[in-house]
mmCIF file of all heavy atoms in Angstrom:
data_model
loop_
_atom_site.group_PDB
_atom_site.id
_atom_site.type_symbol
_atom_site.label_atom_id
_atom_site.label_comp_id
_atom_site.label_asym_id
_atom_site.label_seq_id
_atom_site.Cartn_x
_atom_site.Cartn_y
_atom_site.Cartn_z
ATOM 1 N N PRO A 1 83.963 97.068 117.001
ATOM 2 C CA PRO A 1 85.353 96.606 117.170
ATOM 3 C C PRO A 1 85.487 95.091 117.330
ATOM 4 O O PRO A 1 86.603 94.564 117.243
ATOM 5 C CB PRO A 1 85.798 97.326 118.442
ATOM 6 C CG PRO A 1 84.932 98.537 118.528
ATOM 7 C CD PRO A 1 83.610 98.104 117.984
ATOM 8 N N LEU A 2 84.379 94.400 117.566
ATOM 9 C CA LEU A 2 84.432 92.938 117.688
ATOM 10 C C LEU A 2 85.020 92.289 116.446
ATOM 11 O O LEU A 2 85.594 91.205 116.522
ATOM 12 C CB LEU A 2 83.029 92.374 117.943
ATOM 13 C CG LEU A 2 82.392 92.696 119.296
ATOM 14 C CD1 LEU A 2 80.938 92.252 119.308
ATOM 15 C CD2 LEU A 2 83.176 92.020 120.418
ATOM 16 N N ARG A 3 84.873 92.946 115.285
ATOM 17 C CA ARG A 3 85.363 92.353 114.037
ATOM 18 C C ARG A 3 86.869 92.121 114.077
ATOM 19 O O ARG A 3 87.379 91.144 113.526
ATOM 20 C CB ARG A 3 84.991 93.263 112.867
ATOM 21 C CG ARG A 3 85.596 94.643 112.930
ATOM 22 C CD ARG A 3 84.942 95.630 111.997
ATOM 23 N NE ARG A 3 85.502 96.966 112.180
ATOM 24 C CZ ARG A 3 84.970 98.071 111.675
ATOM 25 N NH1 ARG A 3 83.861 98.001 110.953
ATOM 26 N NH2 ARG A 3 85.531 99.247 111.875
ATOM 27 N N ASP A 4 87.601 93.028 114.727
ATOM 28 C CA ASP A 4 89.059 92.885 114.759
ATOM 29 C C ASP A 4 89.507 91.775 115.696
ATOM 30 O O ASP A 4 90.601 91.222 115.523
ATOM 31 C CB ASP A 4 89.716 94.208 115.167
ATOM 32 C CG ASP A 4 89.631 95.245 114.058
ATOM 33 O OD1 ASP A 4 89.731 94.852 112.879
ATOM 34 O OD2 ASP A 4 89.426 96.434 114.362
ATOM 35 N N LEU A 5 88.686 91.458 116.689
ATOM 36 C CA LEU A 5 89.001 90.305 117.534
ATOM 37 C C LEU A 5 89.059 89.040 116.686
ATOM 38 O O LEU A 5 89.884 88.150 116.927
ATOM 39 C CB LEU A 5 87.947 90.150 118.634
ATOM 40 C CG LEU A 5 87.912 91.231 119.712
ATOM 41 C CD1 LEU A 5 86.765 90.972 120.678
ATOM 42 C CD2 LEU A 5 89.247 91.268 120.460
ATOM 43 N N TRP A 6 88.171 88.975 115.676
ATOM 44 C CA TRP A 6 88.183 87.816 114.791
ATOM 45 C C TRP A 6 89.259 87.947 113.715
ATOM 46 O O TRP A 6 90.061 87.023 113.518
ATOM 47 C CB TRP A 6 86.814 87.634 114.134
ATOM 48 C CG TRP A 6 86.781 86.412 113.270
ATOM 49 C CD1 TRP A 6 87.100 86.330 111.933
ATOM 50 C CD2 TRP A 6 86.498 85.080 113.679
ATOM 51 N NE1 TRP A 6 87.017 85.038 111.496
ATOM 52 C CE2 TRP A 6 86.638 84.252 112.549
ATOM 53 C CE3 TRP A 6 86.120 84.510 114.902
ATOM 54 C CZ2 TRP A 6 86.423 82.874 112.601
ATOM 55 C CZ3 TRP A 6 85.893 83.148 114.948
ATOM 56 C CH2 TRP A 6 86.045 82.353 113.810
ATOM 57 N N LEU A 7 89.269 89.063 113.015
ATOM 58 C CA LEU A 7 90.154 89.218 111.861
ATOM 59 C C LEU A 7 91.629 89.151 112.257
ATOM 60 O O LEU A 7 92.431 88.493 111.583
ATOM 61 C CB LEU A 7 89.859 90.534 111.144
ATOM 62 C CG LEU A 7 88.470 90.650 110.507
ATOM 63 C CD1 LEU A 7 88.231 92.079 110.007
ATOM 64 C CD2 LEU A 7 88.313 89.661 109.364
ATOM 65 N N GLU A 8 91.986 89.819 113.335
ATOM 66 C CA GLU A 8 93.388 89.828 113.774
ATOM 67 C C GLU A 8 93.668 88.731 114.800
ATOM 68 O O GLU A 8 94.618 87.960 114.654
ATOM 69 C CB GLU A 8 93.743 91.193 114.382
ATOM 70 C CG GLU A 8 93.696 92.342 113.392
ATOM 71 C CD GLU A 8 94.123 93.654 114.028
ATOM 72 O OE1 GLU A 8 95.164 93.675 114.718
ATOM 73 O OE2 GLU A 8 93.407 94.663 113.846
ATOM 74 N N GLY A 9 92.823 88.659 115.837
ATOM 75 C CA GLY A 9 93.098 87.732 116.930
ATOM 76 C C GLY A 9 92.925 86.279 116.559
ATOM 77 O O GLY A 9 93.738 85.429 116.927
ATOM 78 N N VAL A 10 91.859 85.964 115.801
ATOM 79 C CA VAL A 10 91.584 84.569 115.450
ATOM 80 C C VAL A 10 92.153 84.215 114.081
ATOM 81 O O VAL A 10 92.855 83.207 113.936
ATOM 82 C CB VAL A 10 90.061 84.293 115.482
ATOM 83 C CG1 VAL A 10 89.772 82.853 115.056
ATOM 84 C CG2 VAL A 10 89.496 84.554 116.869
ATOM 85 N N SER A 11 91.859 85.039 113.082
ATOM 86 C CA SER A 11 92.289 84.710 111.718
ATOM 87 C C SER A 11 93.763 84.993 111.478
ATOM 88 O O SER A 11 94.344 84.486 110.520
ATOM 89 C CB SER A 11 91.448 85.486 110.699
ATOM 90 O OG SER A 11 90.098 85.096 110.770
ATOM 91 N N GLY A 12 94.367 85.826 112.323
ATOM 92 C CA GLY A 12 95.795 86.071 112.206
ATOM 93 C C GLY A 12 96.184 87.045 111.120
ATOM 94 O O GLY A 12 97.353 87.093 110.715
ATOM 95 N N LEU A 13 95.228 87.837 110.625
ATOM 96 C CA LEU A 13 95.567 88.838 109.625
ATOM 97 C C LEU A 13 96.398 89.952 110.254
ATOM 98 O O LEU A 13 96.227 90.287 111.425
ATOM 99 C CB LEU A 13 94.292 89.443 109.018
ATOM 100 C CG LEU A 13 93.407 88.550 108.157
ATOM 101 C CD1 LEU A 13 92.221 89.348 107.636
ATOM 102 C CD2 LEU A 13 94.184 87.940 106.997
ATOM 103 N N SER A 14 97.281 90.528 109.459
ATOM 104 C CA SER A 14 98.007 91.701 109.920
ATOM 105 C C SER A 14 97.018 92.854 110.087
ATOM 106 O O SER A 14 95.899 92.812 109.560
ATOM 107 C CB SER A 14 99.081 92.093 108.900
ATOM 108 O OG SER A 14 98.467 92.471 107.666
ATOM 109 N N GLN A 15 97.429 93.895 110.781
ATOM 110 C CA GLN A 15 96.513 95.014 111.021
ATOM 111 C C GLN A 15 96.070 95.646 109.708
ATOM 112 O O GLN A 15 94.898 95.999 109.539
ATOM 113 C CB GLN A 15 97.180 96.062 111.905
ATOM 114 C CG GLN A 15 96.231 97.201 112.297
ATOM 115 C CD GLN A 15 96.884 98.223 113.217
ATOM 116 O OE1 GLN A 15 98.102 98.251 113.352
ATOM 117 N NE2 GLN A 15 96.073 99.061 113.847
ATOM 118 N N SER A 16 96.986 95.761 108.758
ATOM 119 C CA SER A 16 96.636 96.385 107.475
ATOM 120 C C SER A 16 95.631 95.539 106.696
ATOM 121 O O SER A 16 94.683 96.072 106.113
ATOM 122 C CB SER A 16 97.897 96.611 106.637
ATOM 123 O OG SER A 16 98.551 95.378 106.364
ATOM 124 N N LEU A 17 95.819 94.212 106.702
ATOM 125 C CA LEU A 17 94.869 93.344 106.006
ATOM 126 C C LEU A 17 93.521 93.308 106.732
ATOM 127 O O LEU A 17 92.467 93.217 106.095
ATOM 128 C CB LEU A 17 95.424 91.924 105.879
ATOM 129 C CG LEU A 17 96.480 91.688 104.792
ATOM 130 C CD1 LEU A 17 96.973 90.242 104.836
ATOM 131 C CD2 LEU A 17 95.944 92.019 103.407
ATOM 132 N N ALA A 18 93.543 93.391 108.055
ATOM 133 C CA ALA A 18 92.293 93.419 108.820
ATOM 134 C C ALA A 18 91.483 94.662 108.482
ATOM 135 O O ALA A 18 90.259 94.590 108.276
ATOM 136 C CB ALA A 18 92.585 93.361 110.313
ATOM 137 N N VAL A 19 92.153 95.813 108.405
ATOM 138 C CA VAL A 19 91.475 97.058 108.020
ATOM 139 C C VAL A 19 90.926 96.933 106.600
ATOM 140 O O VAL A 19 89.807 97.380 106.312
ATOM 141 C CB VAL A 19 92.440 98.259 108.138
ATOM 142 C CG1 VAL A 19 91.822 99.512 107.535
ATOM 143 C CG2 VAL A 19 92.809 98.494 109.591
ATOM 144 N N PHE A 20 91.696 96.311 105.738
ATOM 145 C CA PHE A 20 91.274 96.091 104.355
ATOM 146 C C PHE A 20 89.994 95.246 104.300
ATOM 147 O O PHE A 20 89.167 95.404 103.396
ATOM 148 C CB PHE A 20 92.410 95.376 103.602
ATOM 149 C CG PHE A 20 92.247 95.349 102.120
ATOM 150 C CD1 PHE A 20 92.667 96.400 101.328
ATOM 151 C CD2 PHE A 20 91.674 94.248 101.497
ATOM 152 C CE1 PHE A 20 92.519 96.365 99.947
ATOM 153 C CE2 PHE A 20 91.518 94.200 100.123
ATOM 154 C CZ PHE A 20 91.949 95.260 99.340
ATOM 155 N N ALA A 21 89.812 94.360 105.277
ATOM 156 C CA ALA A 21 88.665 93.446 105.287
ATOM 157 C C ALA A 21 87.414 94.049 105.912
ATOM 158 O O ALA A 21 86.330 93.455 105.808
ATOM 159 C CB ALA A 21 89.040 92.167 106.045
ATOM 160 N N HIS A 22 87.526 95.216 106.547
ATOM 161 C CA HIS A 22 86.377 95.793 107.260
ATOM 162 C C HIS A 22 85.169 96.005 106.358
ATOM 163 O O HIS A 22 84.056 95.558 106.664
ATOM 164 C CB HIS A 22 86.766 97.130 107.903
ATOM 165 C CG HIS A 22 87.597 96.972 109.132
ATOM 166 N ND1 HIS A 22 88.151 98.043 109.819
ATOM 167 C CD2 HIS A 22 87.990 95.866 109.812
ATOM 168 C CE1 HIS A 22 88.827 97.605 110.850
ATOM 169 N NE2 HIS A 22 88.759 96.290 110.867
ATOM 170 N N LEU A 23 85.358 96.739 105.266
ATOM 171 C CA LEU A 23 84.231 97.076 104.398
ATOM 172 C C LEU A 23 83.610 95.840 103.747
ATOM 173 O O LEU A 23 82.364 95.708 103.749
ATOM 174 C CB LEU A 23 84.662 98.099 103.339
ATOM 175 C CG LEU A 23 83.548 98.616 102.417
ATOM 176 C CD1 LEU A 23 82.383 99.180 103.226
ATOM 177 C CD2 LEU A 23 84.108 99.674 101.456
ATOM 178 N N PRO A 24 84.400 94.902 103.189
ATOM 179 C CA PRO A 24 83.781 93.682 102.665
ATOM 180 C C PRO A 24 82.947 92.926 103.702
ATOM 181 O O PRO A 24 81.875 92.411 103.379
ATOM 182 C CB PRO A 24 84.980 92.839 102.208
ATOM 183 C CG PRO A 24 86.034 93.837 101.891
ATOM 184 C CD PRO A 24 85.847 94.938 102.885
ATOM 185 N N LEU A 25 83.417 92.888 104.945
ATOM 186 C CA LEU A 25 82.667 92.194 105.990
ATOM 187 C C LEU A 25 81.353 92.912 106.294
ATOM 188 O O LEU A 25 80.310 92.267 106.469
ATOM 189 C CB LEU A 25 83.512 92.082 107.262
ATOM 190 C CG LEU A 25 82.855 91.373 108.447
ATOM 191 C CD1 LEU A 25 82.459 89.943 108.088
ATOM 192 C CD2 LEU A 25 83.788 91.367 109.656
ATOM 193 N N MET A 26 81.374 94.221 106.334
ATOM 194 C CA MET A 26 80.151 94.983 106.594
ATOM 195 C C MET A 26 79.130 94.763 105.470
ATOM 196 O O MET A 26 77.926 94.625 105.730
ATOM 197 C CB MET A 26 80.474 96.472 106.753
ATOM 198 C CG MET A 26 81.172 96.809 108.066
ATOM 199 S SD MET A 26 81.348 98.600 108.370
ATOM 200 C CE MET A 26 82.715 98.989 107.271
ATOM 201 N N ILE A 27 79.611 94.735 104.246
ATOM 202 C CA ILE A 27 78.702 94.522 103.108
ATOM 203 C C ILE A 27 78.049 93.147 103.193
ATOM 204 O O ILE A 27 76.860 92.989 102.928
ATOM 205 C CB ILE A 27 79.475 94.673 101.782
ATOM 206 C CG1 ILE A 27 79.943 96.127 101.599
ATOM 207 C CG2 ILE A 27 78.608 94.253 100.590
ATOM 208 C CD1 ILE A 27 80.959 96.319 100.490
#
């Protein structure tokens, strides 16, 4: 769950875009 602290909290992505970014980040 640390990824969402960055994607949403720091980068300011919406929740839907943050979820969209999960798999690319893992890869």
Side-chain angles (χ1 to χ4, degrees):
L2 292 171
R3 62 196 176 192
D4 288 324
L5 292 177
W6 183 270
L7 295 172
E8 295 183 47
V10 178
S11 296
L13 292 181
S14 64
Q15 185 178 15
S16 60
L17 282 178
V19 171
F20 193 85
H22 284 175
L23 184 54
L25 180 59
M26 287 188 283
I27 293 167

